[in-house]
């Protein structure tokens, strides 16, 4: 089976990942593909700030900037076998430096694995010449395409603490054996495993989210009321999407001059016989093409 992906230079934004039969990412029919609005759907990149965890606009500015193709990226620290990939780079503009006065290079590789897995690797380097460190929060704000939100279970986050964005980020512990959706949900799960499963009963399909360098995970669905309040989102589109976002939020990443951080995401779509109970913790890393020891 063949797989395909599409990336916009605007936002360094993956807008499509599909096989021969179906689209696997959700993009709103009302999405706006030009500044200053971020594209609603796909995989927006939240950098250097997630949500309102700071003084910048919500989710930072990387998703609202035009990236360029990186024609001479530095070598990857691990073997890389995919022939289907693209390298992008983002550097701050003078306007960016006025609102966030830190010099950086953000290199993004988007690739397809041999089995059609979608892989995103972010490498962010502090290029400051003034000796100053900087800190940031981050998320791959992934929108998955689903059959119906009522048919979805998210597994792998049970018993974990989370911050509830609908209750002023009060801290709770997940009590269920899986996350199901009956109303608006917006949570930041903390200290999450390197694999999370999104099970779609109707489509008999499971998305597997693998991640490295990203200890947190955001789970979000706006439900009906908030959907109607978003101009770039259809009133009923909440039924066909769910966001499960690999993130680094609770403990911001800090880079000294010359230091580089790597955050990796790998998405797979597998038959729905897969479930999080199969996530043998001793096999998580060796099953994945994302070795933890490659994180700097």
């Amino acid at each position: 089976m063949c797989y395909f992906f599409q990336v916009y230079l605007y936002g360094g934004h993956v807008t499509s990942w599909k096989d021969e039969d179906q689209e696997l990412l959700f993009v709103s029919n009302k999405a706006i593909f030009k500044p200053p609005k971020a594209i609603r759907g796909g995989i927006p990149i939240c950098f250097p700030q997630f949500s309102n965890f700071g003084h910048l606009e919500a989710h930072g500015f990387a998703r609202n900037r035009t990236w360029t193709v990186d024609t001479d990226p530095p070598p990857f620290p691990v073997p890389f076998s995919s022939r289907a990939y693209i390298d992008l780079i983002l550097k701050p503009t003078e306007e960016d430096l006025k609102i966030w006065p830190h010099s950086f290079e953000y290199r993004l590789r988007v690739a397809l694995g041999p089995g059609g897995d979608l892989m995103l690797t972010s490498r962010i380097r502090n290029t400051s010449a003034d000796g100053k460190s900087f800190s940031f929060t981050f998320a791959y704000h992934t929108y998955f395409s689903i059959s119906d939100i009522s048919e979805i279970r998210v597994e792998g986050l049970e018993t974990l603490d989370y911050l509830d964005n609908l209750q002023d980020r009060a801290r709770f512990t997940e009590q269920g054996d899986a996350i199901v959706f009956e109303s608006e949900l917006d949570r930041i799960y903390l200290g999450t495993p390197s694999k999370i499963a999104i099970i779609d009963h109707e489509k008999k399909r499971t998305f597997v989210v693998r991640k490295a360098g990203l200890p947190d995970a955001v789970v979000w669905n706006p439900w009906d009321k908030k959907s109607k309040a978003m101009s770039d989102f259809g009133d009923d589109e909440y039924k066909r999407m769910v966001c499960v976002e690999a993130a680094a939020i609770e403990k911001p990443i800090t880079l000294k001059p010359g230091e580089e951080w790597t955050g990796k995401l790998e998405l797979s779509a597998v038959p729905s016989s897969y479930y999080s109970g199969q996530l043998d913790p001793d096999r998580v890393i060796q099953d994945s093409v994302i070795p933890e020891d490659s994180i700097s």
Side-chain angles (χ1 to χ4, degrees):
M1 180 177 289
C2 293
Y3 285 79
F4 312 87
F5 71 86
Q6 181 182 64
V7 185
Y8 273 69
L9 291 179
Y10 177 53
H13 197 131
V14 178
T15 55
S16 177
W17 168 46
K18 60 185 178 182
D19 59 27
E20 296 165 336
D21 301 320
Q22 57 192 332
E23 177 60 57
L24 301 170
L25 298 178
F26 167 88
V27 174
S28 172
N29 290 328
K30 292 187 174 183
I32 299 168
F33 289 78
K34 60 183 180 180
K37 195 76 174 176
I39 301 169
R40 177 68 70 183
I43 309 179
I45 290 174
C46 303
F47 170 84
Q49 176 183 298
F50 176 78
S51 185
N52 60 353
F53 281 77
H55 67 278
L56 300 174
E57 60 185 299
H59 292 326
F61 52 74
R63 64 185 189 142
N64 302 96
R65 299 296 184 264
T66 299
W67 297 50
T68 56
V69 176
D70 190 357
T71 56
D72 188 27
F76 266 57
V78 293
F80 190 81
S81 59
S82 175
R83 295 181 180 179
Y85 67 89
I86 187 169
D87 289 295
L88 303 180
I89 188 169
L90 179 69
K91 297 180 181 180
T93 65
E94 289 186 6
E95 293 302 311
D96 294 336
L97 291 171
K98 290 178 182 178
I99 61 173
W100 199 67
H102 305 291
S103 296
F104 66 88
E105 287 181 349
Y106 184 152
R107 285 185 159 88
L108 172 68
R109 174 169 288 188
V110 183
L112 282 178
D117 296 354
L118 182 66
M119 300 181 290
L120 281 74
T121 304
S122 291
R123 293 188 287 174
I124 298 171
R125 179 176 292 274
N126 183 341
T127 58
S128 171
D130 60 11
K132 292 183 180 179
S133 301
F134 64 71
S135 298
F136 62 91
T137 50
F138 179 93
Y140 292 112
H141 198 318
T142 309
Y143 289 71
F144 292 93
S145 176
I146 58 174
S147 59
D148 189 284
I149 191 64
S150 64
E151 297 287 333
I152 299 302
R153 290 168 58 92
V154 177
E155 298 191 357
L157 302 175
E158 49 275 9
T159 75
L160 298 181
D161 284 0
Y162 65 86
L163 307 179
D164 193 330
N165 288 321
L166 302 180
Q167 299 189 53
D168 297 321
R169 297 200 175 114
R171 190 173 184 128
F172 299 94
T173 300
E174 179 58 55
Q175 301 295 325
D177 59 358
I179 300 169
V180 295
F181 300 83
E182 299 174 341
S183 60
E184 181 182 357
L185 190 142
D186 189 356
R187 299 173 180 172
I188 303 169
Y189 286 83
L190 309 173
T192 61
S194 58
K195 283 187 182 181
I196 301 168
I198 306 164
I199 300 169
D200 190 330
H201 295 291
E202 185 172 317
K203 287 193 174 183
K204 297 181 172 61
R205 179 180 69 200
T206 295
F207 290 111
V208 182
V209 178
R210 296 177 177 89
K211 57 191 181 66
L214 298 159
D216 305 321
V218 180
V219 181
W220 179 63
N221 183 281
W223 218 250
D224 55 350
K225 185 176 180 181
K226 185 164 288 185
S227 296
K228 293 175 182 178
M230 294 189 288
S231 61
D232 59 346
F233 194 83
D235 290 357
D236 294 322
E237 286 187 324
Y238 73 93
K239 297 177 182 177
R240 298 189 293 108
M241 56 72 63
V242 67
C243 286
V244 177
E245 312 165 31
I249 300 170
E250 184 188 29
K251 298 177 181 178
I253 306 298
T254 299
L255 295 179
K256 297 176 182 178
E259 288 186 335
E260 182 176 280
W261 169 84
T262 301
K264 300 187 179 186
L265 174 69
E266 180 185 338
L267 306 178
S268 307
V270 299
S272 61
S273 57
Y274 187 104
Y275 60 96
S276 66
Q278 292 174 287
L279 301 184
D280 182 345
D282 295 329
R283 297 180 57 194
V284 164
I285 301 304
Q286 64 188 52
D287 283 352
S288 173
V289 299
I290 306 177
E292 291 284 356
D293 60 7
S294 71
I295 302 167
S296 59

